[in-house]
Amino acid sequence: MRALFLSALFGASVSVASFSVQASQSWQGHGVLQSVSDRSVMLQHDAIPELKWPPMTMPFTLSPDAKLNGAKPGDEVTFTLERAGDGFRIVSLTPKR
């Protein structure tokens, strides 16, 4: 019984460690800012090979500390996103000027 408990405890700690590493990952993208609302943006972005995403237009939530760096709709931008729950969120967005 003790071995079973220790095995389960070890498995749980490995799962938490794996999640922590995954949660801190971020990815870079390029695209065009389509719109900005209170806490989200719509981006038409190029493919993001690391995520196996083709080019597409999609909404993203902004992280609480997200910086838009003066980007406005129509701007070509680079952006950083991170995993957030079951989806992804924008951490920063920088216009290409």
Side-chain angles (χ1 to χ4, degrees):
M1 180 70 166
R2 182 177 176 178
L4 180 61
F5 174 75
L6 290 175
S7 177
L9 184 61
F10 177 74
S13 66
V14 168
S15 293
V16 169
S18 296
F19 176 75
S20 297
V21 169
Q22 185 178 29
S24 65
Q25 272 187 304
S26 63
W27 297 270
Q28 300 295 310
H30 299 88
V32 176
L33 182 60
Q34 301 294 304
S35 64
V36 178
S37 63
D38 189 32
R39 293 303 317 153
S40 65
V41 295
M42 180 71 70
L43 286 171
Q44 178 183 3
H45 65 77
D46 298 339
I48 303 176
E50 300 85 2
L51 295 172
K52 299 181 180 164
W53 286 2
M56 61 181 135
T57 300
M58 59 189 297
F60 288 99
T61 301
L62 296 169
S63 73
D65 299 328
K67 306 284 188 246
L68 298 182
N69 300 305
K72 58 188 181 314
D75 285 349
E76 188 175 340
V77 296
T78 58
F79 59 92
T80 302
L81 53 98
E82 67 183 11
R83 195 172 285 284
D86 290 341
F88 294 85
R89 66 183 177 185
I90 298 290
V91 177
S92 70
L93 200 101
T94 305
K96 288 179 140 184
R97 297 187 183 183

